[in-house]
């Protein structure tokens, strides 16, 4: 018999907790009190980093895939249609890990946007808990991400890390990906054509992870995920949207926040993230 939503949530939380314990070698993981976000709200914008991020990839993040010959069938084709609700979340953790690894391999070999650039640019597939309740989606890799092959490791990524910590979570507990998995030239916004080529892999990634909540970071991510090219992030942020049957919270991109580091903007993002925590079933830190 299928487990109820609550049972699945408890099982998922237990698995996550166990996994984090294993990752950290700790008996338990303290939950943040929101103090970190208070600190973010009170302080000036973080200075540019002088050294690359030292955070380590999540234990289950797929290794950078080797290039393989294209195949006609595979993990991508196993997915549902992008305009239909996500298929039911029936995979075990091990199945999710295997499916993400296979998808990363397929993506490296076949993505019409990314594979022609292989050798010049790193593909940034995404990383985190394959069974994450919360999945963040940014725009595309920047120079730091391209260099390291990991999402959100530059200055914006450091702010995202602080936000995740303020939520009482570890970076390894969420999943982080982008609309396009290869850096657009000169760090420009991905074109609709580029996004259309790469998006099926993100769609399938979301199907496999099947988060409870998606957080789109910035206007580009929200526009492509919600298929609304006219979307204005200043109007849409903070309001729940539907993405194929799961809840999506549009919020400001951390890079925008760094440029417009006002108390108002920081409070707005923190409000969005508290809604995300509540809907994902996590404790919501007290305070602003
Ligand atoms: N900005 C993004 O949108 N994604 C990254 O991975 C890094 C910066």
């Amino acid at each position: 018999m299928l487990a109820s939503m609550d049972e699945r949530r408890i099982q998922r939380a237990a698995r996550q907790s166990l996994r984090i314990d294993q990752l950290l070698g700790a008996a338990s993981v303290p939950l943040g009190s929101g103090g970190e976000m208070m600190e973010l709200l009170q302080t000036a914008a973080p200075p540019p980093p002088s050294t690359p991020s030292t955070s380590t990839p999540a234990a289950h993040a797929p290794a950078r895939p080797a290039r393989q010959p294209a195949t006609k069938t595979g993990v991508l084709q196993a997915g549902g249609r992008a305009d239909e609700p996500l298929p039911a979340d029936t995979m075990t953790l091990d199945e999710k890990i295997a499916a993400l690894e296979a998808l990363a391999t397929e993506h490296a070999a076949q993505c019409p946007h990314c594979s022609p650039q292989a050798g010049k640019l790193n593909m940034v597939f995404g990383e985190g808990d394959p069974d994450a309740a919360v999945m963040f989606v940014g725009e595309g890799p920047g120079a730091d991400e391209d260099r390291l092959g990991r999402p959100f490791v530059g200055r914006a990524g450091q702010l995202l890390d602080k936000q995740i910590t303020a939520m009482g979570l570890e970076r390894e507990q969420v999943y982080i990906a982008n609309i396009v998995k290869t850096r657009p030239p000169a760090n420009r916004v991905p074109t609709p054509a580029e996004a259309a080529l790469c998006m099926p892999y993100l769609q399938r990634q979301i199907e496999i992870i099947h988060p409870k909540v998606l957080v789109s970071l910035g206007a580009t991510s929200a526009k492509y995920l919600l298929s609304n090219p006219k979307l204005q992030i200043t109007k849409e942020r903070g309001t729940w949207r539907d993405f194929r049957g799961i809840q999506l919270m549009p919020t400001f991109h951390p890079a925008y926040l760094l440029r417009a580091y006002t108390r108002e903007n920081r409070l707005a993002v923190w409000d969005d993230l508290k809604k995300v925590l509540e809907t994902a079933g996590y404790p919501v830190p007290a305070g602003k």
Side-chain angles (χ1 to χ4, degrees), residues 3-10 212:
S4 70
M5 287 287 282
D6 276 355
E7 282 166 345
R8 286 179 67 77
R9 192 157 60 81
I10 291 163
K212 284 177 86 91

Short mmCIF file of all heavy atoms in Angstrom, two decimals, residues 3-10 212:
data_model
loop_
_atom_site.label_atom_id
_atom_site.label_comp_id
_atom_site.label_asym_id
_atom_site.label_seq_id
_atom_site.Cartn_x
_atom_site.Cartn_y
_atom_site.Cartn_z
N ALA A 3 2.43 4.75 0.96
CA ALA A 3 2.51 5.49 2.21
C ALA A 3 1.78 6.82 2.06
O ALA A 3 1.71 7.37 0.97
CB ALA A 3 3.98 5.73 2.55
N SER A 4 1.20 7.32 3.16
CA SER A 4 0.52 8.60 3.10
C SER A 4 1.56 9.71 2.93
O SER A 4 2.75 9.49 3.12
CB SER A 4 -0.25 8.85 4.40
OG SER A 4 0.68 9.07 5.42
N MET A 5 1.08 10.93 2.57
CA MET A 5 1.98 12.07 2.38
C MET A 5 2.82 12.30 3.63
O MET A 5 4.01 12.53 3.57
CB MET A 5 1.18 13.34 2.08
CG MET A 5 0.59 13.38 0.72
SD MET A 5 1.85 13.65 -0.52
CE MET A 5 2.09 15.40 -0.31
N ASP A 6 2.13 12.23 4.83
CA ASP A 6 2.85 12.48 6.08
C ASP A 6 3.93 11.44 6.31
O ASP A 6 5.05 11.75 6.70
CB ASP A 6 1.88 12.48 7.27
CG ASP A 6 1.22 13.84 7.41
OD1 ASP A 6 1.62 14.76 6.65
OD2 ASP A 6 0.33 13.98 8.25
N GLU A 7 3.57 10.17 6.05
CA GLU A 7 4.56 9.10 6.24
C GLU A 7 5.75 9.30 5.31
O GLU A 7 6.90 9.15 5.70
CB GLU A 7 3.93 7.73 5.98
CG GLU A 7 3.08 7.25 7.14
CD GLU A 7 2.19 6.08 6.75
OE1 GLU A 7 2.01 5.83 5.54
OE2 GLU A 7 1.67 5.44 7.66
N ARG A 8 5.44 9.69 4.06
CA ARG A 8 6.53 9.90 3.10
C ARG A 8 7.41 11.07 3.55
O ARG A 8 8.62 11.05 3.42
CB ARG A 8 5.98 10.18 1.70
CG ARG A 8 5.44 8.94 1.03
CD ARG A 8 4.89 9.27 -0.35
NE ARG A 8 5.95 9.67 -1.27
CZ ARG A 8 6.79 8.82 -1.85
NH1 ARG A 8 6.70 7.55 -1.62
NH2 ARG A 8 7.71 9.25 -2.68
N ARG A 9 6.75 12.10 4.12
CA ARG A 9 7.52 13.27 4.59
C ARG A 9 8.44 12.86 5.73
O ARG A 9 9.61 13.22 5.78
CB ARG A 9 6.54 14.36 5.03
CG ARG A 9 7.21 15.69 5.27
CD ARG A 9 6.19 16.81 5.15
NE ARG A 9 5.11 16.70 6.12
CZ ARG A 9 5.22 17.10 7.38
NH1 ARG A 9 6.31 17.64 7.82
NH2 ARG A 9 4.21 16.96 8.21
N ILE A 10 7.88 12.05 6.66
CA ILE A 10 8.68 11.63 7.81
C ILE A 10 9.83 10.73 7.34
O ILE A 10 10.97 10.88 7.76
CB ILE A 10 7.79 10.89 8.85
CG1 ILE A 10 6.84 11.90 9.48
CG2 ILE A 10 8.63 10.21 9.91
CD1 ILE A 10 5.66 11.29 10.18
N LYS A 212 9.73 19.04 -2.81
CA LYS A 212 8.42 19.56 -2.38
C LYS A 212 8.26 21.01 -2.84
O LYS A 212 7.16 21.46 -3.11
CB LYS A 212 8.32 19.52 -0.85
CG LYS A 212 8.06 18.13 -0.31
CD LYS A 212 8.04 18.13 1.19
CE LYS A 212 6.68 18.49 1.71
NZ LYS A 212 5.84 17.34 1.94
#
